[in-house]
Amino acid sequence: MFADLLLPMFDDEYYPDILVAEVKQHIERFAKKVAKADVSEQEIYQHAHDAVAEINTMKPQFEDLDSSLDDTAADYIAEAMMMIVQEYGYFDIEMEELIVNREW
């Protein structure tokens, strides 16, 4: 459904594909939670924060491979999450709030 999620990160050699694929899995799990009927905006933000918390734990893995979860990665991740929420009809979600708990 969201085959193009994080495509810019996959295309950028700075980000290891294996780790980007793992980030994508976290975002796909977020998408499945958002897809459930009658999800409130508060629940969407909570699911997003849970996904970002999982991605936060990957920071050392990126650093071990001479990469990082930098501001550009944050933009790509936030944009992917916004694509998901908008696909399911949630247009009042704030992009920055989705990743507010990022630690990179």
Side-chain angles (χ1 to χ4, degrees), residues 11 44 46 64 94:
D11 288 343
I44 289 172
Q46 184 58 54
D64 286 347
E94 297 291 329

Side-chain angles (χ1 to χ4, degrees), residues 4-71:
D4 292 341
L5 284 178
L6 302 179
L7 192 58
M9 283 183 80
F10 281 111
D11 288 343
D12 189 332
E13 291 181 17
Y14 178 68
Y15 304 108
D17 285 350
I18 191 160
L19 296 180
V20 176
E22 190 175 334
V23 170
K24 184 177 178 181
Q25 289 176 345
H26 291 301
I27 294 174
E28 287 172 341
R29 283 194 290 277
F30 164 73
K32 288 178 183 176
K33 293 173 183 175
V34 172
K36 293 182 180 178
D38 299 324
V39 178
S40 71
E41 286 186 15
Q42 185 58 38
E43 289 173 307
I44 289 172
Y45 287 126
Q46 184 58 54
H47 294 316
H49 297 166
D50 293 345
V52 169
E54 293 169 348
I55 294 168
N56 284 340
T57 67
M58 297 178 63
K59 184 178 176 182
Q61 293 172 277
F62 275 86
E63 291 169 353
D64 286 347
L65 295 177
D66 296 325
S67 183
S68 69
L69 287 167
D70 55 11
D71 289 341

